[in-house]
């Protein structure tokens, strides 16, 4: 697991980005991936369309979407779309 985390850190750093530090203050904030997926849902894209667009699996989209729903305290795609607008 440590080798995978190190590889991910190196690849992220190569893009000029850095992983944000998690604190109590950031627990309810969407990560960039969650925010991007939430925006695409708000635009009306399906999980499969989002997965194809982002080159990730539909289950990864579902994972991030569940986390976004919990963080934003919404229960539906319609509520999410309203929250994102």
């Amino acid at each position: 697991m440590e080798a995978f985390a190190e590889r991910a850190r190196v690849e992220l750093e190569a893009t000029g980005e850095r992983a944000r530090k998690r604190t109590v203050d950031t627990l309810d904030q969407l990560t960039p991936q969650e925010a991007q997926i939430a925006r695409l849902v708000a635009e009306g894209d399906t999980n499969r369309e989002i997965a194809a667009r982002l080159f990730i699996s539909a289950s990864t989209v579902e994972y991030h979407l569940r986390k976004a729903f919990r963080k934003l305290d919404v229960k539906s795609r319609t509520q999410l779309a309203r929250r994102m607008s």
Side-chain angles (χ1 to χ4, degrees), residues 7-61:
R7 179 178 172 198
R9 185 194 64 74
V10 168
E11 289 183 18
L12 185 62
E13 197 171 276
T15 67
E17 295 291 328
R18 291 189 178 256
R20 68 186 177 137
K21 298 289 182 200
R22 300 209 64 183
T23 66
V24 174
D25 297 330
T26 63
L27 288 178
D28 63 345
Q29 294 176 2
L30 297 182
T31 64
Q33 186 81 341
E34 292 163 355
Q36 182 177 32
I37 289 170
R39 279 192 301 276
L40 293 172
V41 166
E43 292 174 8
D45 290 2
T46 67
N47 288 5
R48 283 187 180 193
E49 291 169 337
I50 295 167
R53 195 169 178 177
L54 301 180
F55 302 102
I56 58 177
S57 70
S59 63
T60 300
V61 172

Side-chain angles (χ1 to χ4, degrees), residues 37-38 41 47 61-69 77 80:
I37 289 170
V41 166
N47 288 5
V61 172
E62 292 168 12
Y63 169 78
H64 288 297
L65 198 50
R66 275 194 311 273
K67 288 176 60 181
F69 272 44
R77 293 171 87 90
L80 179 64

Side-chain angles (χ1 to χ4, degrees), residues 69 73-77 79-80:
F69 272 44
D73 194 30
V74 297
K75 306 233 183 290
S76 70
R77 293 171 87 90
Q79 286 179 333
L80 179 64

